[in-house]
Amino acid sequence: MAVSVLALDLATRTGWAHSAGESGVVDFGPCGPLPRRLVAFRDWLANLLDHLPADSLVFEAAHHRGGAATRSGVGMQTVVLLAAADHDAEVACVHTSTLKKHATGSGRASKDAMLAAAMRRCPTIRFADDNHVDAVWLLDLAISYPASLKPA
């Protein structure tokens, strides 16, 4: 039985990719301050999982550098964990350098290098931005090397 996967690059503009072949970016910036963005993200994610169920959720780890970006990243990770519990899905977290190494062979790859590699790997996808690129690579990693994922 095939495992369905939803990969998420968590940010104000969240990239996502599902093993059913759908992907894109959702912008939560217009939703207002962080609490409202988190509610909007929670609602969007629940709706997506209702329409595209997933056995596994995979996301890129938030970096704890402090400030608003850290609060947002940690909040979004928490929403993912709760959604996974609500939908009886496994959840895993991938470090940025692991993702970059999978995509390009270098854990220090630039956004441009990640995009170039993604365009070679998935020439039919029109990538919206680097968040979309990262989500597609997260999905590729989760499908190609599921044993390498660490539970969140």
Side-chain angles (χ1 to χ4, degrees):
M1 178 184 201
V3 173
S4 58
V5 179
L6 174 62
L8 299 160
D9 182 46
L10 303 173
T12 299
R13 284 182 51 84
T14 292
W16 65 278
H18 193 282
S19 55
E22 297 186 44
S23 66
V25 175
V26 179
D27 188 357
F28 297 102
C31 298
L34 179 59
R36 289 190 182 145
R37 287 196 315 267
L38 292 176
V39 168
F41 175 63
R42 178 198 65 197
D43 294 348
W44 170 83
L45 183 56
N47 185 52
L48 182 65
L49 289 170
D50 287 344
H51 289 90
L52 286 172
D55 302 309
S56 179
L57 306 180
V58 181
F59 62 89
E60 188 175 358
H63 296 279
H64 300 285
R65 295 181 181 135
T70 294
R71 287 189 298 279
S72 181
V74 169
M76 293 181 94
Q77 285 183 4
T78 302
V79 169
V80 171
L81 294 172
L82 293 171
D86 287 344
H87 290 82
D88 198 29
E90 298 291 321
V91 63
C93 180
V94 175
H95 192 277
T96 302
S97 62
T98 301
L99 182 62
K100 289 179 176 195
K101 186 166 186 169
H102 170 71
T104 68
S106 170
R108 300 183 60 142
S110 68
K111 291 177 191 252
D112 288 341
M114 294 285 286
L115 174 60
M119 290 172 68
R120 284 190 301 275
R121 175 87 168 176
C122 308
T124 61
I125 297 176
R126 184 168 181 222
F127 292 99
D129 63 15
D130 59 296
N131 302 301
H132 192 188
V133 169
D134 287 355
V136 169
W137 278 119
L138 283 164
L139 179 62
D140 187 75
L141 176 64
I143 291 170
S144 300
Y145 301 101
S148 71
L149 300 178
K150 295 180 177 27

PDB file of all heavy atoms in Angstrom, residues 43-62:
ATOM      1  N   ASP A  43      -6.688  26.336   9.564  1.00  0.00           N
ATOM      2  CA  ASP A  43      -7.896  26.067   8.785  1.00  0.00           C
ATOM      3  C   ASP A  43      -7.559  25.578   7.379  1.00  0.00           C
ATOM      4  O   ASP A  43      -8.180  24.636   6.870  1.00  0.00           O
ATOM      5  CB  ASP A  43      -8.775  27.318   8.727  1.00  0.00           C
ATOM      6  CG  ASP A  43      -9.338  27.695  10.086  1.00  0.00           C
ATOM      7  OD1 ASP A  43      -9.259  26.882  11.042  1.00  0.00           O
ATOM      8  OD2 ASP A  43      -9.845  28.831  10.211  1.00  0.00           O
ATOM      9  N   TRP A  44      -6.567  26.211   6.741  1.00  0.00           N
ATOM     10  CA  TRP A  44      -6.151  25.805   5.401  1.00  0.00           C
ATOM     11  C   TRP A  44      -5.629  24.368   5.420  1.00  0.00           C
ATOM     12  O   TRP A  44      -5.994  23.544   4.567  1.00  0.00           O
ATOM     13  CB  TRP A  44      -5.076  26.755   4.870  1.00  0.00           C
ATOM     14  CG  TRP A  44      -4.445  26.264   3.612  1.00  0.00           C
ATOM     15  CD1 TRP A  44      -4.920  26.396   2.344  1.00  0.00           C
ATOM     16  CD2 TRP A  44      -3.218  25.519   3.502  1.00  0.00           C
ATOM     17  NE1 TRP A  44      -4.064  25.773   1.452  1.00  0.00           N
ATOM     18  CE2 TRP A  44      -3.020  25.242   2.138  1.00  0.00           C
ATOM     19  CE3 TRP A  44      -2.272  25.076   4.429  1.00  0.00           C
ATOM     20  CZ2 TRP A  44      -1.916  24.530   1.682  1.00  0.00           C
ATOM     21  CZ3 TRP A  44      -1.175  24.367   3.973  1.00  0.00           C
ATOM     22  CH2 TRP A  44      -1.000  24.105   2.610  1.00  0.00           C
ATOM     23  N   LEU A  45      -4.786  24.052   6.412  1.00  0.00           N
ATOM     24  CA  LEU A  45      -4.184  22.718   6.490  1.00  0.00           C
ATOM     25  C   LEU A  45      -5.249  21.657   6.742  1.00  0.00           C
ATOM     26  O   LEU A  45      -5.239  20.596   6.107  1.00  0.00           O
ATOM     27  CB  LEU A  45      -3.109  22.692   7.581  1.00  0.00           C
ATOM     28  CG  LEU A  45      -2.330  21.392   7.746  1.00  0.00           C
ATOM     29  CD1 LEU A  45      -1.664  20.966   6.445  1.00  0.00           C
ATOM     30  CD2 LEU A  45      -1.289  21.559   8.858  1.00  0.00           C
ATOM     31  N   ALA A  46      -6.184  21.923   7.634  1.00  0.00           N
ATOM     32  CA  ALA A  46      -7.262  20.962   7.896  1.00  0.00           C
ATOM     33  C   ALA A  46      -8.087  20.723   6.632  1.00  0.00           C
ATOM     34  O   ALA A  46      -8.418  19.571   6.302  1.00  0.00           O
ATOM     35  CB  ALA A  46      -8.146  21.465   9.035  1.00  0.00           C
ATOM     36  N   ASN A  47      -8.393  21.784   5.909  1.00  0.00           N
ATOM     37  CA  ASN A  47      -9.156  21.658   4.665  1.00  0.00           C
ATOM     38  C   ASN A  47      -8.372  20.870   3.616  1.00  0.00           C
ATOM     39  O   ASN A  47      -8.928  19.997   2.937  1.00  0.00           O
ATOM     40  CB  ASN A  47      -9.518  23.049   4.145  1.00  0.00           C
ATOM     41  CG  ASN A  47     -10.419  22.982   2.930  1.00  0.00           C
ATOM     42  OD1 ASN A  47     -11.452  22.324   2.948  1.00  0.00           O
ATOM     43  ND2 ASN A  47     -10.027  23.672   1.874  1.00  0.00           N
ATOM     44  N   LEU A  48      -7.086  21.169   3.490  1.00  0.00           N
ATOM     45  CA  LEU A  48      -6.255  20.443   2.528  1.00  0.00           C
ATOM     46  C   LEU A  48      -6.225  18.955   2.862  1.00  0.00           C
ATOM     47  O   LEU A  48      -6.382  18.108   1.979  1.00  0.00           O
ATOM     48  CB  LEU A  48      -4.833  21.017   2.498  1.00  0.00           C
ATOM     49  CG  LEU A  48      -3.876  20.364   1.501  1.00  0.00           C
ATOM     50  CD1 LEU A  48      -4.336  20.611   0.064  1.00  0.00           C
ATOM     51  CD2 LEU A  48      -2.467  20.893   1.699  1.00  0.00           C
ATOM     52  N   LEU A  49      -6.049  18.628   4.141  1.00  0.00           N
ATOM     53  CA  LEU A  49      -5.979  17.224   4.542  1.00  0.00           C
ATOM     54  C   LEU A  49      -7.331  16.520   4.406  1.00  0.00           C
ATOM     55  O   LEU A  49      -7.377  15.304   4.215  1.00  0.00           O
ATOM     56  CB  LEU A  49      -5.446  17.103   5.968  1.00  0.00           C
ATOM     57  CG  LEU A  49      -3.961  17.425   6.109  1.00  0.00           C
ATOM     58  CD1 LEU A  49      -3.571  17.530   7.573  1.00  0.00           C
ATOM     59  CD2 LEU A  49      -3.111  16.383   5.390  1.00  0.00           C
ATOM     60  N   ASP A  50      -8.410  17.268   4.494  1.00  0.00           N
ATOM     61  CA  ASP A  50      -9.720  16.675   4.242  1.00  0.00           C
ATOM     62  C   ASP A  50      -9.875  16.317   2.761  1.00  0.00           C
ATOM     63  O   ASP A  50     -10.504  15.315   2.430  1.00  0.00           O
ATOM     64  CB  ASP A  50     -10.842  17.629   4.653  1.00  0.00           C
ATOM     65  CG  ASP A  50     -10.997  17.737   6.159  1.00  0.00           C
ATOM     66  OD1 ASP A  50     -10.470  16.867   6.897  1.00  0.00           O
ATOM     67  OD2 ASP A  50     -11.645  18.712   6.612  1.00  0.00           O
ATOM     68  N   HIS A  51      -9.296  17.140   1.875  1.00  0.00           N
ATOM     69  CA  HIS A  51      -9.415  16.910   0.428  1.00  0.00           C
ATOM     70  C   HIS A  51      -8.289  16.040  -0.139  1.00  0.00           C
ATOM     71  O   HIS A  51      -8.499  15.328  -1.115  1.00  0.00           O
ATOM     72  CB  HIS A  51      -9.473  18.247  -0.313  1.00  0.00           C
ATOM     73  CG  HIS A  51     -10.768  18.954  -0.079  1.00  0.00           C
ATOM     74  ND1 HIS A  51     -10.960  19.827   0.961  1.00  0.00           N
ATOM     75  CD2 HIS A  51     -11.947  18.876  -0.730  1.00  0.00           C
ATOM     76  CE1 HIS A  51     -12.205  20.280   0.933  1.00  0.00           C
ATOM     77  NE2 HIS A  51     -12.823  19.715  -0.079  1.00  0.00           N
ATOM     78  N   LEU A  52      -7.107  16.142   0.456  1.00  0.00           N
ATOM     79  CA  LEU A  52      -5.956  15.340   0.039  1.00  0.00           C
ATOM     80  C   LEU A  52      -5.369  14.677   1.285  1.00  0.00           C
ATOM     81  O   LEU A  52      -4.376  15.158   1.843  1.00  0.00           O
ATOM     82  CB  LEU A  52      -4.891  16.215  -0.627  1.00  0.00           C
ATOM     83  CG  LEU A  52      -5.147  16.730  -2.027  1.00  0.00           C
ATOM     84  CD1 LEU A  52      -4.067  17.727  -2.440  1.00  0.00           C
ATOM     85  CD2 LEU A  52      -5.195  15.574  -3.015  1.00  0.00           C
ATOM     86  N   PRO A  53      -5.974  13.593   1.753  1.00  0.00           N
ATOM     87  CA  PRO A  53      -5.475  12.950   2.967  1.00  0.00           C
ATOM     88  C   PRO A  53      -4.006  12.545   2.822  1.00  0.00           C
ATOM     89  O   PRO A  53      -3.526  12.285   1.714  1.00  0.00           O
ATOM     90  CB  PRO A  53      -6.366  11.723   3.121  1.00  0.00           C
ATOM     91  CG  PRO A  53      -7.597  12.042   2.344  1.00  0.00           C
ATOM     92  CD  PRO A  53      -7.139  12.915   1.201  1.00  0.00           C
ATOM     93  N   ALA A  54      -3.317  12.508   3.949  1.00  0.00           N
ATOM     94  CA  ALA A  54      -1.908  12.121   3.951  1.00  0.00           C
ATOM     95  C   ALA A  54      -1.635  11.216   5.146  1.00  0.00           C
ATOM     96  O   ALA A  54      -2.120  11.476   6.247  1.00  0.00           O
ATOM     97  CB  ALA A  54      -1.015  13.353   4.008  1.00  0.00           C
ATOM     98  N   ASP A  55      -0.859  10.170   4.896  1.00  0.00           N
ATOM     99  CA  ASP A  55      -0.422   9.274   5.968  1.00  0.00           C
ATOM    100  C   ASP A  55       0.765   9.872   6.714  1.00  0.00           C
ATOM    101  O   ASP A  55       1.048   9.495   7.842  1.00  0.00           O
ATOM    102  CB  ASP A  55       0.007   7.924   5.393  1.00  0.00           C
ATOM    103  CG  ASP A  55      -1.094   7.245   4.615  1.00  0.00           C
ATOM    104  OD1 ASP A  55      -2.217   7.131   5.160  1.00  0.00           O
ATOM    105  OD2 ASP A  55      -0.847   6.848   3.457  1.00  0.00           O
ATOM    106  N   SER A  56       1.461  10.792   6.042  1.00  0.00           N
ATOM    107  CA  SER A  56       2.680  11.370   6.595  1.00  0.00           C
ATOM    108  C   SER A  56       2.774  12.853   6.246  1.00  0.00           C
ATOM    109  O   SER A  56       2.519  13.232   5.099  1.00  0.00           O
ATOM    110  CB  SER A  56       3.896  10.620   6.027  1.00  0.00           C
ATOM    111  OG  SER A  56       5.099  11.145   6.517  1.00  0.00           O
ATOM    112  N   LEU A  57       3.123  13.662   7.228  1.00  0.00           N
ATOM    113  CA  LEU A  57       3.392  15.086   7.024  1.00  0.00           C
ATOM    114  C   LEU A  57       4.872  15.309   7.272  1.00  0.00           C
ATOM    115  O   LEU A  57       5.425  14.834   8.261  1.00  0.00           O
ATOM    116  CB  LEU A  57       2.582  15.947   7.995  1.00  0.00           C
ATOM    117  CG  LEU A  57       1.073  15.743   8.023  1.00  0.00           C
ATOM    118  CD1 LEU A  57       0.428  16.674   9.037  1.00  0.00           C
ATOM    119  CD2 LEU A  57       0.477  15.958   6.658  1.00  0.00           C
ATOM    120  N   VAL A  58       5.510  16.019   6.370  1.00  0.00           N
ATOM    121  CA  VAL A  58       6.943  16.307   6.474  1.00  0.00           C
ATOM    122  C   VAL A  58       7.131  17.803   6.333  1.00  0.00           C
ATOM    123  O   VAL A  58       6.545  18.426   5.446  1.00  0.00           O
ATOM    124  CB  VAL A  58       7.732  15.581   5.360  1.00  0.00           C
ATOM    125  CG1 VAL A  58       9.217  15.866   5.477  1.00  0.00           C
ATOM    126  CG2 VAL A  58       7.465  14.089   5.398  1.00  0.00           C
ATOM    127  N   PHE A  59       7.940  18.381   7.218  1.00  0.00           N
ATOM    128  CA  PHE A  59       8.193  19.818   7.128  1.00  0.00           C
ATOM    129  C   PHE A  59       9.655  20.120   7.377  1.00  0.00           C
ATOM    130  O   PHE A  59      10.381  19.321   7.968  1.00  0.00           O
ATOM    131  CB  PHE A  59       7.297  20.617   8.094  1.00  0.00           C
ATOM    132  CG  PHE A  59       7.508  20.306   9.546  1.00  0.00           C
ATOM    133  CD1 PHE A  59       8.445  20.998  10.298  1.00  0.00           C
ATOM    134  CD2 PHE A  59       6.743  19.336  10.172  1.00  0.00           C
ATOM    135  CE1 PHE A  59       8.628  20.724  11.647  1.00  0.00           C
ATOM    136  CE2 PHE A  59       6.912  19.055  11.521  1.00  0.00           C
ATOM    137  CZ  PHE A  59       7.860  19.752  12.254  1.00  0.00           C
ATOM    138  N   GLU A  60      10.074  21.284   6.892  1.00  0.00           N
ATOM    139  CA  GLU A  60      11.444  21.746   7.103  1.00  0.00           C
ATOM    140  C   GLU A  60      11.526  22.409   8.469  1.00  0.00           C
ATOM    141  O   GLU A  60      10.665  23.204   8.834  1.00  0.00           O
ATOM    142  CB  GLU A  60      11.845  22.722   6.005  1.00  0.00           C
ATOM    143  CG  GLU A  60      13.305  23.099   6.042  1.00  0.00           C
ATOM    144  CD  GLU A  60      13.718  23.971   4.872  1.00  0.00           C
ATOM    145  OE1 GLU A  60      12.890  24.270   3.994  1.00  0.00           O
ATOM    146  OE2 GLU A  60      14.898  24.376   4.847  1.00  0.00           O
ATOM    147  N   ALA A  61      12.556  22.094   9.210  1.00  0.00           N
ATOM    148  CA  ALA A  61      12.722  22.604  10.570  1.00  0.00           C
ATOM    149  C   ALA A  61      12.844  24.120  10.595  1.00  0.00           C
ATOM    150  O   ALA A  61      13.486  24.706   9.727  1.00  0.00           O
ATOM    151  CB  ALA A  61      13.966  21.992  11.206  1.00  0.00           C
ATOM    152  N   ALA A  62      12.213  24.720  11.590  1.00  0.00           N
ATOM    153  CA  ALA A  62      12.369  26.166  11.805  1.00  0.00           C
ATOM    154  C   ALA A  62      13.707  26.407  12.487  1.00  0.00           C
ATOM    155  O   ALA A  62      14.147  25.616  13.324  1.00  0.00           O
ATOM    156  CB  ALA A  62      11.239  26.692  12.684  1.00  0.00           C
TER     157      ALA A  62
END
